[in-house]
Amino acid sequence: MNNGRSNNIIDLFKVNTSLDTVLIFNEDSKSYTASVCMAEIPTQTLIDVVSANQFLVLPRLSSQAIFESVCPTEWSRPRKRLCVILITENNRRHDVARVALRDIALKSNYSLERVRFAYMFKETQPDFIKAISKGSYKKSLLQIVIIWRRDDKHIMYEWVSVAKQNDNILTESLINSTKSEISYTVKKLLKSSETFSYEAFVQNLVNEHSQGILAKWISRLLYLVDYLSDNIEDEHLLAAVSVLGTIAFMFVVGYILMYFVRAEEQNLKSQGHLINNQDQQHNNLIPELKLYELRAEKYNGMVRLLKPGCRTILLITDFQSRNKLIPYFHKAVWPYRKSKTLLFGHMAIEKGLPWFAKILRLSLCSNRKLQVNPRNCVGTVLALNGHRKYFCMYHAKHPESVQGTKRILKITKILLNTKEDPEVGTFLEGGYSEESDTDSNILLEDNLLNGLDYWLEKLFDGRTQKYYINYWPDFTTK
């Protein structure tokens, strides 16, 4: 660059324009601290020179990394390294003190390997200040402390006596006095025989340059934008946008597909859970054994059209006793629930009395009209074989249930209505005058099905009486 300002710099520092030249400055712009002049400067050489001169004459201790670089640790007493630190506040009133200490550091003849000068803000490093607050430290005054770091946490330190300034004005005599005191204290402490007055254990310094997560991401994004704008041309930008658009499209499609797959899985799981709950409720509430009520619309399926070898076990109740007798009947036939040749049902005598009277008359082979007492039919169980046209009968007063097999005529005569039994009389009301040869003890509804288990065993063993009929009469209601 050929202009008046660059020519002045070249003349002032006598720069050889035929060679590559690098000049490094600190706070003093009148003289450079390091220079490199070569025909072609290697990158590593440039890095080494910058690394060796990266700090100012009076750097600020603003983080632990800077603290360790400016004031490295040294355990050996003869090779101890001292740091002269000015404790100031972050305001313009203390700029004069910092400039004065910088001038003292520039004019000092100490080796940088043994003595370094620095300053810190007491507001931003309160933990460090608190750790070294022993001795002559005064919060309201400017203070200078000389420290020796023995390791990462352990330091030895000594306070420098500084004359009290008036209204924060540093006079020439005050600066000279402070310079003399610093020089005297440093020379004394550099001796291996001298000891420090105080010691302390300190924590790491607060990083004053740290950024929040949001600030870091923003700075990285801005850096990325600057890098791309400087290094990517238009054709490269179009290709990159195309690739990014394709990747974004694939992600969007994949996300949509995954969304529908997860929705379908959730739907299937909810349906499966609902089915399981329904099955559980079905198993808990609906018994495996079903009882069908014999009505006109079910008569053919339950009686007339039964397949060969199949039978229907039918309980006769009335509206008053059905809720009490059906649970007893259900319990009695429960062991036979797995048989595929059996149907189980119940019939209200109020609806099926004409049909029941007809099968009784057909089994007697008589045309005589029978009058049946509905109340005495309650608790009767019929085993109907629809294909072979016969039935077996159970009743608590039935002779087959008490004594053994009897003929149907004897049964009807025995089960005539008597005044001694108010609950259970006979099936038939007619001109029979014989008295029953069974005892006439009162039989309650709760005891009507007590002998049903034994009768069912005889039924399936083939030891019950079979009453054949010519045909199955129609099921009509009154």
Side-chain angles (χ1 to χ4, degrees), residues 235-252:
E235 59 271 15
H236 297 157
L237 183 61
L238 292 176
V241 170
S242 177
V243 172
L244 293 177
T246 303
I247 295 175
F249 177 76
M250 293 173 63
F251 272 105
V252 171

Side-chain angles (χ1 to χ4, degrees), residues 341-397:
T341 61
L342 296 177
L343 281 177
F344 303 96
H346 61 92
M347 181 188 73
I349 191 63
E350 291 87 349
K351 297 181 179 180
L353 181 61
W355 173 81
F356 184 51
K358 286 181 182 178
I359 66 171
L360 288 178
R361 182 176 58 81
L362 289 174
S363 66
L364 291 173
C365 299
S366 172
N367 293 327
R368 181 182 175 182
K369 184 178 180 180
L370 303 179
Q371 292 184 358
V372 180
N373 183 357
R375 184 60 181 155
N376 293 332
C377 298
V378 173
T380 302
V381 178
L382 301 178
L384 307 174
N385 190 321
H387 180 70
R388 298 182 62 182
K389 297 182 180 62
Y390 72 82
F391 65 91
C392 300
M393 184 168 56
Y394 163 84
H395 191 274
K397 289 288 187 175

Side-chain angles (χ1 to χ4, degrees), residues 144-163:
I144 296 176
V145 62
I146 301 176
I147 68 170
W148 167 32
R149 297 185 65 216
R150 304 200 67 180
D151 55 36
D152 292 339
K153 305 295 182 183
H154 186 200
I155 66 170
M156 309 289 291
Y157 64 97
E158 187 79 33
W159 293 102
V160 176
S161 299
V162 179

